[in-house]
Amino acid sequence: MSHHRVTSSPQRVIVIGAGMGGLASAARLAKRGHKVSIYEASGYAGGKCRTEWIDGYAFDTGPSLLTLPAVYRDLFLKTGKRLEHLLQITPVDPAFTYIFHDGARVTFPNLSHNKTVSAIRESFGSEAADSWHALMLRAEQMWEASRESFIEGELKSPLELLKRPDFISDLRTISPLKSLRKLTRSYTNNPYLQKIVDRYATYTGSDPREVPAVLLTIAFVEEAFGAWHVQGGLGKLATTLETRVRELGVDLHFDSKVKEIKVENGRAIGITLESGEEVPADIVVANADAELVYNSLLPASRKTARPRRALRKATPSLSGFSLLLGLRGKSDLNHHTVFFPENYDDEFDAIFQRKEPVPDPAIYICNPQDPHMVASSDSESWFVLINAPRHEPGSGFDWRAPGVAQDYAEHIIDLMESKGLDVRSRLDLCEIRTPADLETKTNAPGGSIYGTSSNGPRSAFLRAKNRSPIANLYCVGGSSHPGGGLPLVGISAEIVAEAVEEKLTQ
Ligand SMILES: Cc1cc2nc3c(=O)[nH]c(=O)nc-3n(C[C@H](O)[C@H](O)[C@H](O)COP(=O)(O)OP(=O)(O)OC[C@H]3O[C@@H](n4cnc5c(N)ncnc54)[C@H](O)[C@@H]3O)c2cc1C
C-alpha cells in the first residue's frame, strides 16, 4: 500500500533545478499525484552530484562519500521500487585514513565505535582513545537533542524552540554559543584528534573556529551510521533518481535556465525562462541556490527583505579546487585519505579572511576501491579535493586569472609528492576544476559547495527557510534548511513535500 494518498487536488508544480533536492522533491510530489515539471539550466540531472568518465577513468566530481543512506532508502521506498534493487550501496572499510605532517597516522574502520577507539589507542595512546569515546558520547547526545528541532522538520523560530519541554537540558547538551573548536579542546589536547574533528566543519563548508559545537554530530553520524560508496560512483544515485522521477511522469527540461519567478499579489504564479517562454504554475519549488532565488530570480519586494538580509549576514560556504587524476598502476591508498598540514588554522584564515588559495592545505584523496570506476584493472582514478576560497573576481579571489589554476595544480602535486605519493611518473590524465568551473557547471554562486556556511551561532537561522515568504514558493537543497550534503538535501525535499501537502489540505 502506498504511503502517499493524494489528499489534495493535483497541482501544477514547477521545480527549478535538477539537483538532488530538486529531483527528490519532484519524486515525492509526483508520487502524490501532482503534475511536476523540472527546468534545469545545464544539460544533465544531479547538479553537484555527478560521476564523470574521462578517457577510461571515472571521478565523483561532487560528493564522494555517502552518509545516512537511510534518507535515500526512504525516498526510493516511498516513491516506488526499493533502492537496494537498483543500486549497490556498500560500506567503505576502512572509512578514512588520516595522515599528519609528521608522519603520524590513524585509520578509522567503518561502522564500529569500539574499533575506532582501538585504532586511536594504537596510534595515539589511551588518553586520546578515552577522549574520543567521551566526544562521541557527547556527539550522540547532541544528535538526539538537535535532530528533531534542527534537522528533521521545518526550522522553528528561536522563540518557538524555547517552548519545548526539554529545552533547558537540550541547551546544555548543544551549547549553542560554543564553537566546535572550543568544545573539542575541552575534551582533548591531542593535536591529531583536534584536526580530525576540525575537518567535520568543512563538511558544511565552514570554519571550525566559528561553527557551533553541534556540528560534532557529523562525526557521530559518520561513525554510527557509516561511510558508504555507491558502486559505479555516487553520481549513480542521481541518474537512478532521474529515472525514478521520469517513471513517475515528471517532465524534465534540460538547457532551460529560469530567468525569473513570476509573482502576483504576493504569490508565485510561474516562471519565465531565459528563452522568454513563460510557464504558469500553482506551486514553484526552487532548488537553485537561495542566493540566486532571492537576489536574482525574484523581483525585489518588501516580502523578501528578511531572507535577503539574512543571506547578506551569513558567510557563504567555502568552495573546492579539484584535480582529476588518471594514474597508471596501483598504489596502497585506501578509498578515502586525508593528509593534514602542520598549521590547519592557516587553511581557514586563507579561505575566509585572506581569500586566497591555501598555501599548505589539507589534501583529500578519493581513490575508489571500485572496479566499475576504471576501464583498466591496472590503473586508478584519484579525485583530489582541496578546500578553496570562492571565485569572486573583484571582491575576492579570481580563479580565472592567467596561470593561477595551472600553477596551483602543480603546487598541489608537488605537495603530494613531498608526502611520498608517486604522481607525475604515473600520470595519464590530469584535469583541473577550479571554483570558477564549479560555478559554471552547477550554477552555485562563486562555486560554493554548500550555499551559506554554518559559521556563527545564528547560522541555522540565517539559512533560507523551506517555506518562502512568497506564497506557493518553496526552497529545497543545500542552500536552504537544514543545509548541505546529500543526507540533509534529501531531508529538505521531504520537508518541502510535507509543507506543500500541509498547505494544500489546510
Ligand atoms: C566538490 C564537492 C564535494 C562534495 N562532497 C560531498 C560528500 O562527500 N558528501 C556529501 O554528502 N555531499 C558532498 N557535497 C555536497 C553535495 O554535493 C550537495 O550538498 C548536494 O549535491 C546539493 O544538492 P542541491 O539539491 O542543493 O542541488 P545542486 O546540486 O546545487 O543543484 C542545483 C541545480 O539547480 C540548477 N539551477 C541553478 N539555477 C538555475 C536556474 N536559474 N534555472 C534552472 N536551473 C538552475 C543547477 O544547474 C543545478 O543543477 C559535495 C559538493 C561538492 C561540489
Side-chain angles (χ1 to χ4, degrees):
M1 204 175 73
S2 160
H3 290 263
H4 295 303
R5 284 171 301 123
V6 179
T7 48
S8 53
S9 57
Q11 306 283 308
R12 294 166 304 173
V13 179
I14 285 179
V15 178
I16 305 173
M20 294 303 280
L23 292 170
S25 48
R28 286 185 184 271
L29 291 166
K31 179 69 184 174
R32 289 176 146 128
H34 301 302
K35 181 71 204 124
V36 184
S37 308
I38 304 181
Y39 291 85
E40 164 58 49
S42 75
Y44 54 89
K48 294 175 185 122
C49 181
R50 195 170 183 216
T51 305
E52 292 179 54
W53 277 92
I54 307 170
D55 298 343
Y57 300 94
F59 304 94
D60 278 332
T61 51
S64 52
L65 166 74
L66 177 65
T67 50
L68 273 183
V71 171
Y72 287 91
R73 287 206 190 102
D74 179 72
L75 169 69
F76 277 85
L77 177 70
K78 300 231 169 101
T79 57
K81 236 190 200 166
R82 284 171 190 273
L83 189 55
E84 290 83 341
H85 295 306
L86 306 168
L87 284 179
Q88 290 263 18
I89 301 192
T90 47
V92 183
D93 201 2
F96 270 95
T97 298
Y98 297 110
I99 302 175
F100 300 87
H101 71 283
D102 56 3
R105 60 164 67 206
V106 61
T107 294
F108 277 24
N110 202 354
L111 286 163
S112 167
H113 173 66
N114 290 343
K115 283 192 197 155
T116 306
V117 171
S118 303
I120 292 174
R121 184 172 296 114
E122 219 164 277
S123 294
F124 307 131
S126 284
E127 209 179 310
D130 292 346
S131 45
W132 183 263
H133 177 64
L135 262 169
M136 286 307 105
L137 284 182
R138 175 67 177 269
E140 182 171 6
Q141 289 163 358
M142 288 174 141
W143 169 249
E144 292 304 333
S146 64
R147 63 178 201 169
E148 217 179 284
S149 311
F150 284 91
I151 298 171
E152 287 171 350
E154 283 179 77
L155 186 66
K156 308 250 176 355
S157 71
L159 270 175
E160 279 174 275
L161 289 173
L162 266 169
K163 294 182 196 145
R164 297 182 62 238
D166 298 331
F167 179 73
I168 298 292
S169 70
D170 284 356
L171 206 61
R172 220 171 282 135
T173 307
I174 293 174
S175 302
L177 299 178
K178 206 176 249 180
S179 69
L180 178 66
R181 165 65 65 82
K182 261 216 165 111
L183 182 85
T184 316
R185 296 288 194 270
S186 71
Y187 278 81
T188 180
N189 54 15
N190 182 287
Y192 306 117
L193 292 190
Q194 287 173 348
K195 283 182 179 162
I196 290 172
V197 178
D198 272 355
R199 186 170 167 275
Y200 286 108
T202 68
Y203 279 37
T204 68
S206 316
D207 181 335
R209 301 167 298 184
E210 300 287 337
V211 293
V214 72
L215 264 86
L216 186 65
T217 49
I218 302 175
F220 165 74
V221 164
E222 193 174 283
E223 187 183 88
F225 307 118
W228 301 79
H229 175 66
V230 178
Q231 197 181 74
L234 265 77
K236 290 260 183 209
L237 197 58
T239 49
T240 308
L241 187 50
E242 178 186 356
T243 307
R244 167 61 47 88
V245 155
R246 287 187 194 279
E247 286 163 359
L248 288 164
V250 173
D251 288 328
L252 272 148
H253 305 264
F254 291 116
D255 303 307
S256 303
K257 193 167 191 171
V258 174
K259 190 170 82 185
E260 192 189 346
I261 299 170
K262 299 203 55 146
V263 179
E264 210 175 82
N265 300 327
R267 8 184 96 245
I269 56 158
I271 56 166
T272 308
L273 297 170
E274 293 249 291
S275 63
E277 190 189 337
E278 295 192 4
V279 193
D282 304 307
I283 290 166
V284 177
V285 176
N287 180 218
D289 197 286
E291 196 174 311
L292 294 176
V293 173
Y294 284 110
N295 291 328
S296 66
L297 295 181
L298 279 172
S301 74
R302 266 211 331 255
K303 274 200 155 192
T304 56
R306 235 178 125 163
R308 276 186 283 128
R309 205 164 45 235
L311 281 167
R312 269 200 307 276
K313 277 192 204 153
T315 313
S317 75
L318 49 73
S319 186
F321 176 92
S322 47
L323 297 178
L324 318 185
L325 305 179
L327 301 167
R328 291 178 287 264
K330 292 285 200 189
S331 72
D332 54 7
L333 277 194
N334 286 328
H335 199 120
H336 305 287
T337 306
V338 179
F339 290 89
F340 281 105
E342 182 169 7
N343 181 358
Y344 199 18
D345 277 1
D346 190 59
E347 174 156 332
F348 304 103
D349 289 344
I351 292 171
F352 291 106
Q353 281 149 35
R354 305 199 303 271
K355 299 192 178 178
E356 61 173 39
V358 187
D360 185 14
I363 300 175
Y364 163 69
I365 304 174
C366 182
N367 174 29
Q369 307 293 304
D370 179 349
H372 298 88
M373 292 181 75
V374 271
S376 135
S377 59
D378 191 33
S379 61
E380 289 178 334
S381 40
W382 289 7
F383 172 68
V384 181
L385 180 63
I386 310 292
N387 290 326
R390 290 153 46 102
H391 175 59
E392 285 177 309
S395 56
F397 192 77
D398 181 0
W399 280 102
R400 289 233 165 80
V404 162
Q406 190 63 39
D407 288 354
Y408 195 56
E410 295 294 341
H411 174 61
I412 298 300
I413 293 175
D414 285 343
L415 284 174
M416 289 167 71
E417 299 216 316
S418 76
K419 292 171 195 297
L421 297 172
D422 256 338
V423 180
R424 288 196 176 88
S425 66
R426 300 176 56 202
L427 204 56
D428 186 27
L429 169 94
C430 175
E431 277 223 8
I432 303 171
R433 297 282 165 86
T434 70
D437 299 323
L438 203 56
E439 177 176 64
T440 314
K441 279 177 183 277
T442 70
N443 291 291
S448 75
I449 296 187
Y450 300 101
T452 56
S453 74
S454 299
N455 289 357
R458 297 190 57 234
S459 53
F461 299 100
L462 296 178
R463 196 168 281 130
K465 305 224 173 345
N466 304 112
R467 236 183 262 242
S468 85
I470 303 290
N472 302 337
L473 173 65
Y474 298 82
C475 294
V476 74
S479 58
S480 57
H481 177 75
L486 293 175
L488 295 193
V489 165
I491 290 172
S492 126
E494 196 182 340
I495 297 174
V496 164
E498 288 297 323
V500 168
E501 209 53 35
E502 193 187 299
K503 176 78 194 311
L504 292 175
T505 50
Q506 255 171 15

